[in-house]
Amino acid sequence: MYSKVVIFGCNVLSMEVALRLHERSWDMTLVSKDERCLEGAQNRGFRLVEVEADYTDDEELKRLGIGLDVDVVFTLFEEDANNVFLTISVKDLDPQVKVVSLAQSKDSAHKLRAAGVSKVIDP
């Protein structure tokens, strides 16, 4: 079992992942800049990170525990470029962390794997 999970992005898929992890009592954090989505997650009892959390800032990623005690990172942004960038940043801080990412196309799935994603979700 994994000790700590961080989920980036706030959409239908990320809320479903968060719900499943929450049901299993995993220590997870949902990171998003979407205040409405965060409010909905908070109403469900999910632990949240402030709206100001910036996934492009390595210091913010470290503050979330990446490189320290995070075992799994979900990059579930709807824009492929954001998922690729975040994967590269996360793997740079912790090459051993498992990364699960959303891909919108086969092309981006290939790029995510090249960036170090452990599992690609291809809807």
Side-chain angles (χ1 to χ4, degrees):
M1 179 160 193
Y2 299 108
S3 61
K4 189 170 180 187
V5 177
V6 179
I7 303 169
F8 289 89
C10 206
N11 51 48
V12 173
L13 179 59
S14 62
M15 294 301 285
E16 183 64 27
V17 168
L19 179 63
R20 302 281 180 188
L21 296 175
H22 183 71
E23 288 172 349
R24 290 170 176 80
S25 300
W26 285 36
D27 180 8
M28 57 124 197
T29 303
L30 179 64
V31 181
S32 175
K33 291 186 177 187
D34 182 339
E35 290 183 47
R36 201 171 54 185
C37 189
L38 288 174
E39 185 177 299
Q42 193 167 28
N43 291 339
R44 293 181 175 182
F46 302 157
R47 191 175 99 186
L48 307 174
V49 172
E50 310 83 36
V51 175
E52 295 84 28
D54 182 0
Y55 75 92
T56 65
D57 182 344
D58 284 353
E59 292 307 312
E60 289 284 320
L61 296 177
K62 290 176 188 176
R63 187 178 64 80
L64 294 169
I66 296 170
L68 300 171
D69 63 350
V70 171
D71 295 307
V72 180
V73 173
F74 286 85
T75 64
L76 302 177
F77 294 117
E78 296 189 9
E79 296 81 24
D80 291 327
N82 294 345
N83 292 324
V84 170
F85 181 86
L86 180 55
T87 298
I88 291 168
S89 297
V90 165
K91 290 303 246 182
D92 183 52
L93 292 173
D94 184 357
Q96 302 307 313
V97 71
K98 304 286 186 227
V99 178
V100 179
S101 190
L102 176 64
Q104 298 297 331
S105 69
K106 288 185 183 197
D107 230 14
S108 61
H110 174 72
K111 290 174 183 165
L112 285 162
R113 285 188 189 93
V117 166
S118 307
K119 179 163 177 60
V120 174
I121 300 170
D122 185 359

